[in-house]
Amino acid sequence: MSVGHTAVTTPPAPGDPVISCDTPQDECGVRDVLDRLGDKWSVYVVVELAAGVRRFKELQRAVPGGISQRMLTLTVRRLERDGLVHRTVHPTIPPQVEYELTETGHSLTHLVKALADWSIAHRPAFTASRAAWDAAHPDSEIR
Amino acid sequence: MSVGHTAVTTPPAPGDPVISCDTPQDECGVRDVLDRLGDKWSVYVVVELAAGVRRFKELQRAVPGGISQRMLTLTVRRLERDGLVHRTVHPTIPPQVEYELTETGHSLTHLVKALADWSIAHRPAFTASRAAWDAAHPDSEIR
DNA sequence: CCGAATCCAACTCGATACTG
DNA sequence: CAGTATCGAGTTGGATTCGG
């Protein structure tokens, strides 16, 4: 601890990883992933596809929260564009379209797993902290 | 293939992690994290704070892209509410406020590091895939 | 069955101006 | 310095309808 003004409860960065944003205006590269994973549905689609090939309707039913057709279409299209999902159209009647993860997409599942693990592990802390904050700031616009 | 309608073409998941959304309407817990990390600035703030304690203005200068005062305030407030960042106010003149990661916040840096690593590793594939898709779908509304 | 097209509500973000 | 307040543009997501 010692001198100046920085009496912190935790040391600056004990064994923390150094995330190098070397070039200042570079964005560490995280923008690419987060722009995709940050939206409302992509993660759930990836999670479901991690379990195997799925048809459109199967995906729609599997995604928690009830995704609209429109949003599912948009989501899988964007995932396809980014090379995370492969789309196979069987020109049958009725039409049948299958979605599956590409190799890149599969590698992403490990990341999502890490995300889910962290989230589950810290959910109690999250909830508690939020409740405390909300109680201390009754009429705040944050949230 | 065989019977029903659920004939899968690829093996469900070779060595992929199983992300258990056991309860169907549960959201695997990822929503909590992604709602925070998914916004435009939180990750950069966490990255910068991973390097040590920062004051408001220091943060603002450090974040790439040029964050407005308003957005920085909102971002750190939300991070504070979630228990990821601790805020210390020194009632001096001029005012001095220091931000630092909490223990939970520090544990998050490993996740962000994983995110950044994955992103950097797959950025070429991303870029290529997008370019190819865009070329194949010249006038699409996706993007 | 899979999706495109349209319309609309809600939210996010940025710019600007002002305060203790 | 570290915010708060206000306004407006842009984006996202949902509901609905229609088509191949």
Side-chain angles (χ1 to χ4, degrees):
Chain A
M1 295 301 175
S2 72
V3 286
H5 57 301
T6 48
V8 253
T9 50
T10 53
D16 277 25
V18 175
I19 302 146
S20 60
C21 269
D22 286 336
T23 51
Q25 259 21 340
D26 175 33
E27 304 185 349
C28 325
V30 285
R31 202 46 26 209
D32 287 333
V33 217
L34 285 172
D35 277 352
R36 191 57 41 243
L37 261 44
D39 65 28
K40 196 171 179 181
W41 304 108
S42 293
V43 173
Y44 301 128
V45 170
V46 170
V47 165
E48 182 60 22
L49 289 182
V53 177
R54 292 289 183 273
R55 297 181 53 178
F56 187 88
K57 206 75 176 179
E58 289 179 318
L59 264 182
Q60 191 177 11
R61 276 188 291 261
V63 167
I67 186 175
S68 64
Q69 274 192 347
R70 167 184 158 80
M71 287 316 297
L72 183 53
T73 301
L74 284 179
T75 303
V76 293
R77 281 297 183 288
R78 290 197 269 241
L79 289 170
E80 190 192 6
R81 180 169 106 99
D82 289 347
L84 299 171
V85 160
H86 179 69
R87 179 166 168 270
T88 312
V89 180
H90 300 277
T92 60
I93 295 180
Q96 176 169 349
V97 181
E98 287 178 335
Y99 297 93
E100 64 190 312
L101 292 182
T102 62
E103 195 152 332
T104 309
H106 273 108
S107 84
L108 184 63
T109 62
H110 297 274
L111 203 56
V112 174
K113 177 70 163 57
L115 225 55
D117 287 346
W118 189 94
S119 191
I120 289 169
H122 295 89
R123 194 205 286 258
F126 251 68
T127 315
S129 181
R130 283 184 179 169
W133 200 96
D134 292 350
H137 306 80
D139 46 354
S140 168
E141 48 158 337
I142 312 289
R143 252 154 260 183
Chain B
M1 289 299 182
S2 73
V3 283
H5 58 302
T6 47
V8 204
T9 51
T10 55
D16 278 24
V18 175
I19 301 148
S20 61
C21 270
D22 286 336
T23 51
Q25 260 21 343
D26 175 34
E27 304 184 348
C28 325
V30 287
R31 204 40 31 205
D32 288 334
V33 218
L34 284 172
D35 277 352
R36 193 55 42 241
L37 261 45
D39 65 29
K40 195 170 178 181
W41 304 108
S42 293
V43 173
Y44 301 129
V45 170
V46 170
V47 166
E48 182 59 23
L49 289 182
V53 177
R54 292 290 184 273
R55 296 180 53 178
F56 188 89
K57 206 75 177 180
E58 289 178 317
L59 264 182
Q60 191 177 11
R61 277 187 290 260
V63 168
I67 185 174
S68 64
Q69 275 191 344
R70 167 184 158 79
M71 287 316 296
L72 182 54
T73 301
L74 284 177
T75 303
V76 291
R77 282 294 184 288
R78 291 196 269 242
L79 289 170
E80 190 192 5
R81 181 170 104 100
D82 290 346
L84 299 170
V85 159
H86 180 69
R87 179 167 168 268
T88 312
V89 180
H90 299 278
T92 59
I93 296 179
Q96 177 170 347
V97 181
E98 289 178 336
Y99 296 93
E100 62 189 314
L101 292 182
T102 62
E103 196 151 331
T104 308
H106 273 109
S107 84
L108 184 62
T109 61
H110 297 275
L111 203 57
V112 174
K113 176 70 163 59
L115 227 53
D117 286 346
W118 190 94
S119 190
I120 289 168
H122 295 87
R123 194 203 286 258
F126 251 68
T127 315
S129 181
R130 284 183 178 170
W133 200 96
D134 291 351
H137 306 79
D139 46 354
S140 169
E141 49 158 337
I142 311 289
R143 254 154 259 182

